[in-house]
Amino acid sequence: MTAAAVRLHPAGPLEAGVVAALQQACFPDDPWDEASVATLAAPPAGFAVIALDDQDQPVGFVMARVAAEDAEILAIGVLPQARRGGIGRLLVDAAVTGSHDLGATALFLEVAEDNPAAWSLYKANGFFSVGRRPGYYKRPDGRVAALVLRRNLDGA
């Protein structure tokens, strides 16, 4: 599946269950429930976007939150069968645009050190490393550090 076959849909409170199901499918080791998603993505500071395929089936999501001039991508994921087709880049772009529209001048996120595909996507989209959080992510065999990334949104 490619990004050309996908459309982005703003996710409101009614779609919190869809976003939670996507989050669980993408990150089964540390899923969020529907109530958590609804709280984290609640307007006016939070927002979520769902990627829908050409059959209107959800294949990815992004959730972000803005506080003053800083925004954070809370979670972003694409279903395994839909990866490597540009959908992640569309979702990052949606987070950049949404955060900028809400007044943010910088966008942050954490990425697991053992996820080079995600780090490559973020680096290609203007993110750079500003820190490291040891033991941040749970794994079946232990914990892995997170890299803290930033993208400046001036002129986003």
Side-chain angles (χ1 to χ4, degrees), residues 70-82:
D70 291 338
E72 179 182 13
I73 292 178
L74 302 169
I76 182 170
V78 176
L79 295 178
Q81 66 271 22

Side-chain angles (χ1 to χ4, degrees), residues 26-86:
C26 293
F27 308 105
D29 294 335
D30 198 15
W32 293 349
D33 63 18
E34 184 175 345
S36 296
V37 169
T39 299
L40 291 168
F47 64 94
V49 175
I50 299 172
L52 300 170
D53 69 12
D54 56 1
Q55 303 293 313
D56 281 339
Q57 296 301 306
V59 294
F61 75 101
V62 64
M63 292 175 30
R65 193 159 186 79
V66 176
E69 290 126 18
D70 291 338
E72 179 182 13
I73 292 178
L74 302 169
I76 182 170
V78 176
L79 295 178
Q81 66 271 22
R83 291 179 184 157
R84 310 302 273 166

Side-chain angles (χ1 to χ4, degrees), residues 1 11-12 37-38 49-50 61 77 79 85 88 102 108 110 112 125 141 153:
M1 171 172 309
V37 169
V49 175
I50 299 172
F61 75 101
L79 295 178
L102 289 173
F108 294 86
E110 287 93 15
N125 209 291
D141 58 350
L153 299 181

Side-chain angles (χ1 to χ4, degrees), residues 128-133 146-149:
F128 54 94
S129 181
V130 294
R132 184 176 181 271
R133 295 185 178 168
L147 298 175
V148 179
L149 307 181

Side-chain angles (χ1 to χ4, degrees), residues 105-155:
T105 58
L107 179 59
F108 294 86
L109 62 84
E110 287 93 15
V111 62
E113 270 187 337
D114 64 355
N115 190 345
W119 169 228
S120 177
L121 167 67
Y122 302 134
K123 186 176 178 182
N125 209 291
F127 286 86
F128 54 94
S129 181
V130 294
R132 184 176 181 271
R133 295 185 178 168
Y136 188 77
Y137 290 106
K138 288 188 252 179
R139 295 290 189 259
D141 58 350
R143 299 185 78 81
V144 66
L147 298 175
V148 179
L149 307 181
R150 174 188 172 123
R151 175 179 164 170
N152 296 326
L153 299 181
D154 307 2

